[in-house]
Amino acid sequence: MEHKCLKCKKSFNLEDRIRCPFCGFRVLVKARVPIVKKVKAR
Ligand SMILES: [Zn+2]
C-alpha cells in the first residue's frame, strides 16, 4: 500500500511499518485516497 509522509511529502510503499523510511516521521496518509483540502472561496 502506498503511503505519503506528511513531513517530507515523499510517497513510498509500506506494508507493516507505518513510518517514513526517509525521515522517520510516523504521520502518514494513504496515497491512494485523494485528500484534497482546497477550500474554494465563495
Ligand atoms: Zn518523511
Side-chain angles (χ1 to χ4, degrees):
M1 186 176 292
E2 190 173 0
H3 287 74
K4 185 177 182 181
C5 178
L6 289 180
K7 188 175 181 180
C8 63
K9 305 294 180 62
K10 291 182 179 179
S11 60
F12 42 86
N13 292 321
L14 287 179
E15 291 183 358
D16 291 332
R17 297 177 183 176
I18 306 300
R19 177 177 288 186
C20 178
F22 300 100
C23 65
F25 202 58
R26 297 181 67 181
V27 179
L28 310 174
V29 293
K30 294 179 182 179
R32 288 286 183 175
V33 181
I35 301 176
V36 180
K37 291 184 179 179
K38 289 184 179 180
V39 179
K40 293 181 180 179
R42 294 179 179 176

Coordinates of all heavy atoms in Angstrom, one line a residue:
M1 N 0.9 -1.2 0.0 CA 0.0 0.0 0.0 C 0.9 1.2 0.0 O 1.9 1.3 0.7 CB -0.9 0.0 1.2 CG -1.9 1.1 1.3 SD -3.0 1.0 2.7 CE -3.9 -0.5 2.2
E2 N 0.5 2.2 -0.8 CA 1.3 3.4 -0.9 C 0.9 4.4 0.1 O -0.3 4.7 0.3 CB 1.2 3.9 -2.3 CG 2.2 5.0 -2.6 CD 2.1 5.4 -4.1 OE1 1.3 4.8 -4.8 OE2 2.9 6.3 -4.5
H3 N 1.9 4.9 0.7 CA 1.7 6.0 1.7 C 2.5 7.2 1.4 O 3.4 7.2 0.7 CB 2.1 5.5 3.1 CG 1.1 4.5 3.7 ND1 1.1 3.2 3.2 CD2 0.1 4.6 4.6 CE1 0.1 2.5 3.9 NE2 -0.5 3.4 4.8
K4 N 2.1 8.3 2.0 CA 2.8 9.5 1.8 C 3.1 10.2 3.1 O 2.2 10.3 4.0 CB 1.9 10.5 0.9 CG 2.7 11.7 0.6 CD 1.8 12.6 -0.4 CE 2.5 13.8 -0.8 NZ 1.7 14.7 -1.7
C5 N 4.3 10.6 3.3 CA 4.7 11.2 4.5 C 4.2 12.7 4.6 O 4.3 13.4 3.6 CB 6.2 11.2 4.7 SG 6.8 12.0 6.1
L6 N 3.7 13.1 5.7 CA 3.2 14.4 5.8 C 4.3 15.4 6.1 O 4.1 16.6 6.1 CB 2.1 14.5 6.9 CG 0.8 13.8 6.6 CD1 -0.2 14.0 7.7 CD2 0.2 14.4 5.3
K7 N 5.5 14.9 6.4 CA 6.6 15.8 6.8 C 7.4 16.1 5.6 O 7.7 17.3 5.3 CB 7.4 15.1 7.9 CG 8.4 16.0 8.5 CD 9.1 15.4 9.7 CE 10.2 16.3 10.3 NZ 10.8 15.7 11.4
C8 N 7.9 15.0 4.9 CA 8.8 15.3 3.8 C 8.1 15.2 2.5 O 8.7 15.3 1.4 CB 10.0 14.3 3.9 SG 9.6 12.6 3.8
K9 N 6.8 14.8 2.5 CA 6.0 14.8 1.3 C 6.4 13.8 0.3 O 6.2 13.9 -0.9 CB 5.9 16.2 0.7 CG 5.5 17.3 1.6 CD 4.0 17.1 2.0 CE 3.6 18.1 3.0 NZ 3.6 19.5 2.4
K10 N 7.1 12.7 0.8 CA 7.5 11.7 -0.1 C 6.6 10.5 0.0 O 6.1 10.1 1.1 CB 8.9 11.2 0.2 CG 10.0 12.3 -0.1 CD 11.4 11.8 0.2 CE 12.4 12.8 -0.1 NZ 13.8 12.4 0.2
S11 N 6.3 9.8 -1.1 CA 5.5 8.7 -1.2 C 6.3 7.4 -1.3 O 7.3 7.4 -1.9 CB 4.5 8.8 -2.3 OG 5.1 8.8 -3.5
F12 N 5.8 6.3 -0.7 CA 6.5 5.1 -0.6 C 5.6 4.0 -0.3 O 4.4 4.2 0.1 CB 7.7 5.2 0.4 CG 7.2 5.8 1.7 CD1 6.6 5.1 2.6 CD2 7.4 7.2 1.8 CE1 6.2 5.7 3.8 CE2 7.0 7.8 3.0 CZ 6.4 7.0 4.0
N13 N 6.0 2.8 -0.5 CA 5.2 1.6 -0.2 C 5.5 1.1 1.1 O 6.6 0.8 1.5 CB 5.4 0.5 -1.3 CG 4.8 1.0 -2.6 OD1 3.8 1.6 -2.7 ND2 5.5 0.7 -3.7
L14 N 4.4 0.8 1.9 CA 4.6 0.2 3.2 C 3.6 -0.9 3.4 O 2.5 -0.9 2.9 CB 4.4 1.3 4.3 CG 5.5 2.3 4.5 CD1 5.1 3.3 5.6 CD2 6.8 1.7 4.9
E15 N 4.0 -1.9 4.2 CA 3.1 -3.0 4.5 C 2.8 -3.1 6.0 O 1.7 -3.1 6.4 CB 3.7 -4.3 4.0 CG 3.7 -4.3 2.5 CD 4.2 -5.7 2.0 OE1 4.6 -6.5 2.8 OE2 4.2 -5.9 0.7
D16 N 3.8 -3.2 6.8 CA 3.6 -3.3 8.2 C 4.0 -2.1 9.0 O 3.3 -1.6 9.8 CB 4.5 -4.5 8.7 CG 3.9 -5.8 8.2 OD1 2.7 -5.9 7.9 OD2 4.7 -6.8 8.0
R17 N 5.2 -1.6 8.7 CA 5.7 -0.5 9.4 C 5.1 0.9 9.0 O 5.3 1.2 7.8 CB 7.2 -0.4 9.3 CG 7.9 -1.7 9.9 CD 9.4 -1.6 9.7 NE 10.0 -2.8 10.2 CZ 11.3 -3.0 10.1 NH1 12.1 -2.2 9.5 NH2 11.8 -4.2 10.5
I18 N 4.4 1.5 9.8 CA 3.9 2.8 9.5 C 4.8 3.8 9.9 O 4.7 4.5 11.0 CB 2.5 3.0 10.1 CG1 1.6 1.8 9.8 CG2 1.9 4.3 9.6 CD1 1.3 1.6 8.3
R19 N 5.9 4.0 9.1 CA 6.9 5.0 9.5 C 7.6 5.4 8.2 O 7.9 4.5 7.3 CB 7.9 4.5 10.5 CG 9.0 5.5 10.8 CD 9.9 5.0 11.9 NE 9.2 5.0 13.2 CZ 9.9 4.7 14.3 NH1 11.1 4.4 14.3 NH2 9.2 4.7 15.4
C20 N 7.9 6.6 8.1 CA 8.6 7.1 6.9 C 10.0 6.6 6.8 O 10.8 6.8 7.8 CB 8.5 8.6 6.8 SG 9.4 9.3 5.4
P21 N 10.4 5.9 5.8 CA 11.8 5.4 5.7 C 12.8 6.6 5.4 O 14.0 6.3 5.5 CB 11.7 4.5 4.5 CG 10.6 5.0 3.6 CD 9.6 5.6 4.6
F22 N 12.3 7.7 5.1 CA 13.2 8.8 4.8 C 13.5 9.7 6.0 O 14.7 10.0 6.3 CB 12.6 9.7 3.7 CG 12.4 9.0 2.4 CD1 11.1 8.5 2.1 CD2 13.4 8.8 1.5 CE1 10.9 7.8 0.9 CE2 13.2 8.1 0.4 CZ 11.9 7.6 0.0
C23 N 12.5 10.1 6.7 CA 12.7 11.0 7.9 C 12.3 10.3 9.2 O 12.5 10.9 10.3 CB 12.0 12.3 7.6 SG 10.2 12.1 7.6
G24 N 11.6 9.2 9.1 CA 11.2 8.5 10.4 C 9.9 9.1 10.9 O 9.5 8.7 12.0
F25 N 9.3 10.0 10.2 CA 8.0 10.5 10.7 C 6.9 9.5 10.7 O 6.9 8.6 9.8 CB 7.7 11.7 9.8 CG 6.7 12.7 10.5 CD1 7.1 13.3 11.7 CD2 5.5 13.0 9.9 CE1 6.2 14.2 12.3 CE2 4.6 13.9 10.5 CZ 5.0 14.5 11.7
R26 N 6.0 9.6 11.7 CA 5.1 8.5 11.8 C 3.6 8.9 11.4 O 2.7 8.2 11.7 CB 5.1 8.0 13.3 CG 6.4 7.4 13.6 CD 6.4 6.8 15.0 NE 5.5 5.7 15.2 CZ 5.3 5.1 16.3 NH1 5.9 5.5 17.4 NH2 4.5 4.0 16.4
V27 N 3.5 10.1 10.9 CA 2.2 10.5 10.4 C 2.1 10.4 8.9 O 2.8 11.2 8.2 CB 1.9 11.9 10.9 CG1 0.5 12.4 10.4 CG2 2.0 12.0 12.4
L28 N 1.4 9.4 8.5 CA 1.4 9.2 7.0 C -0.1 9.1 6.5 O -1.0 8.9 7.3 CB 2.0 7.8 6.7 CG 3.4 7.6 7.3 CD1 3.8 6.1 7.0 CD2 4.4 8.5 6.7
V29 N -0.2 9.4 5.3 CA -1.6 9.3 4.7 C -1.5 8.3 3.5 O -0.5 8.1 2.9 CB -2.1 10.6 4.2 CG1 -2.3 11.6 5.3 CG2 -1.1 11.2 3.2
K30 N -2.6 7.7 3.3 CA -2.7 6.7 2.2 C -2.7 7.5 0.8 O -3.6 8.3 0.6 CB -3.9 5.8 2.3 CG -3.8 4.9 3.5 CD -5.1 4.1 3.6 CE -5.0 3.2 4.8 NZ -6.3 2.4 5.0
A31 N -1.7 7.2 0.0 CA -1.6 8.0 -1.2 C -2.7 7.7 -2.2 O -3.0 8.4 -3.1 CB -0.3 7.7 -1.9
R32 N -3.4 6.5 -2.0 CA -4.5 6.1 -2.9 C -5.7 7.0 -2.7 O -6.4 7.3 -3.7 CB -4.9 4.7 -2.6 CG -3.8 3.7 -3.1 CD -3.9 3.5 -4.6 NE -2.9 2.5 -5.0 CZ -2.8 2.1 -6.3 NH1 -3.6 2.7 -7.2 NH2 -2.0 1.2 -6.7
V33 N -5.9 7.4 -1.5 CA -7.0 8.2 -1.2 C -6.7 9.7 -1.5 O -5.8 10.2 -0.8 CB -7.5 8.1 0.3 CG1 -8.7 8.9 0.6 CG2 -7.8 6.6 0.6
P34 N -7.4 10.3 -2.4 CA -7.1 11.7 -2.7 C -7.6 12.6 -1.5 O -8.8 12.9 -1.4 CB -7.9 12.0 -4.0 CG -9.0 11.0 -3.9 CD -8.4 9.8 -3.2
I35 N -6.7 13.1 -0.8 CA -7.0 14.0 0.3 C -6.8 15.5 -0.2 O -5.7 15.9 -0.2 CB -6.2 13.7 1.6 CG1 -6.5 12.3 2.0 CG2 -6.6 14.7 2.7 CD1 -5.7 11.9 3.2
V36 N -7.8 16.1 -0.6 CA -7.7 17.4 -1.1 C -8.4 18.4 -0.2 O -9.6 18.3 0.1 CB -8.3 17.5 -2.5 CG1 -8.2 19.0 -3.0 CG2 -7.7 16.5 -3.5
K37 N -7.6 19.2 0.4 CA -8.1 20.2 1.3 C -8.1 21.6 0.7 O -7.5 22.5 1.3 CB -7.3 20.1 2.6 CG -7.5 18.8 3.4 CD -6.8 18.8 4.7 CE -7.1 17.5 5.5 NZ -6.4 17.5 6.8
K38 N -8.6 21.7 -0.4 CA -8.7 23.0 -1.0 C -10.1 23.6 -0.7 O -11.1 23.0 -1.1 CB -8.5 22.9 -2.5 CG -7.0 22.6 -2.9 CD -6.8 22.6 -4.3 CE -5.4 22.3 -4.7 NZ -5.2 22.3 -6.2
V39 N -10.1 24.7 -0.1 CA -11.3 25.4 0.2 C -11.6 26.5 -0.9 O -10.8 27.5 -1.0 CB -11.3 26.0 1.6 CG1 -12.6 26.7 1.9 CG2 -11.1 24.9 2.6
K40 N -12.6 26.3 -1.6 CA -12.9 27.3 -2.6 C -13.6 28.5 -1.9 O -14.5 28.4 -1.2 CB -13.8 26.7 -3.7 CG -13.2 25.7 -4.5 CD -14.1 25.1 -5.6 CE -13.5 24.1 -6.4 NZ -14.4 23.5 -7.4
A41 N -13.1 29.6 -2.3 CA -13.6 30.9 -1.7 C -15.0 31.2 -2.4 O -15.0 31.3 -3.6 CB -12.7 32.0 -1.9
R42 N -16.0 31.3 -1.6 CA -17.3 31.6 -2.2 C -17.5 33.1 -2.2 O -17.4 33.7 -1.2 CB -18.4 30.9 -1.4 CG -18.3 29.4 -1.5 CD -19.4 28.8 -0.7 NE -19.4 27.3 -0.8 CZ -20.2 26.5 -0.1 NH1 -21.0 27.0 0.8 NH2 -20.0 25.2 -0.2
Ligands
ZN1 ZN 9.1 11.6 5.8

